[in-house]
Amino acid sequence: MDHILAEAGLCMTYLRDPNAIEELDQDCIFADLCDGETDSGQPVPLPIGWLAHRALSDYDHLILASDRHTGQHMAVLSANDGDTGQEGFLLLETAFVASAARGRGVIARMIALALLRIASFGPVPQVIATTTGNPVWYRALHKVARRCTGAVFFPEPDSPTIRLDSAA
């Protein structure tokens, strides 16, 4: 099922079925996302370079954003389900937005779509985790957390200390 973001000119598609994901042309997706960014002969930008070493069907959740008019892929978000033994969690693995789509809040919208679609299949994970040192990714996650009632962002963006109640 596609979700249209008319004001952003994007069409977002959430995929969860490994067979449907496997049918995607992964090379075409990566070429679209890197369009214009590798013309200088530089290596493919991360995380696309890293993502290209895995099959998209390795992920439990995949969200693709494409231009509504041209169909060119503009962004990708991949995630996997995890379990600590005490609770399930959603691990956001990779997010990449092509330069032409940056500044439109695409990452936050992709996360929101993933949570809505996951909720349509069952309970929403109580914990969403990722590893990042990227301030853009961090701000997008913080923006999503502010919109979720009762959400606690850990660690706090500008906090010099770690709150143990949040860590628990």
Side-chain angles (χ1 to χ4, degrees), residues 109-124:
R109 292 171 184 209
M110 293 172 80
I111 294 169
L113 177 60
L115 294 175
L116 287 171
R117 296 295 291 141
I118 289 168
S120 71
F121 294 108
V124 175

Side-chain angles (χ1 to χ4, degrees), residues 115 124-128 141-154 156 163 165-166:
L115 294 175
V124 175
Q126 295 299 303
V127 176
I128 300 171
L141 293 170
H142 192 250
K143 182 179 179 179
V144 170
R146 282 194 322 236
R147 295 185 180 270
C148 296
T149 305
V152 177
F153 195 81
F154 177 79
E156 287 297 325
R163 294 180 38 217
D165 59 330
S166 296

Side-chain angles (χ1 to χ4, degrees), residues 6-160:
E7 72 281 1
L10 297 174
C11 175
M12 291 198 186
T13 304
Y14 169 86
L15 298 165
R16 161 183 177 139
D17 176 9
N19 294 324
I21 295 172
E22 199 169 84
E23 292 177 11
L24 296 172
D25 185 344
Q26 186 166 322
D27 292 335
C28 177
I29 292 169
F30 295 154
D32 283 354
L33 292 172
C34 294
D35 187 39
E37 294 194 31
T38 58
D39 293 343
S40 63
Q42 296 295 319
V44 175
L46 290 175
I48 292 300
W50 176 81
L51 184 63
H53 295 293
R54 292 181 68 179
L56 292 177
S57 58
D58 289 345
Y59 298 103
D60 297 322
H61 310 275
L62 184 69
I63 298 90
L64 292 171
S66 56
D67 184 278
R68 283 181 49 204
H69 305 291
T70 66
Q72 180 178 359
H73 297 94
M74 303 301 287
V76 62
L77 174 74
S78 64
N80 279 317
D81 297 317
D83 194 310
T84 65
Q86 296 178 354
E87 63 187 346
F89 64 92
L90 181 68
L91 179 61
L92 300 175
E93 297 267 359
T94 304
F96 187 82
V97 180
S99 58
R102 292 182 187 148
R104 300 186 204 177
V106 176
I107 292 175
R109 292 171 184 209
M110 293 172 80
I111 294 169
L113 177 60
L115 294 175
L116 287 171
R117 296 295 291 141
I118 289 168
S120 71
F121 294 108
V124 175
Q126 295 299 303
V127 176
I128 300 171
T130 193
T131 57
T132 187
N134 184 326
V136 173
W137 182 225
Y138 200 76
R139 283 191 303 272
L141 293 170
H142 192 250
K143 182 179 179 179
V144 170
R146 282 194 322 236
R147 295 185 180 270
C148 296
T149 305
V152 177
F153 195 81
F154 177 79
E156 287 297 325
D158 298 315
S159 176

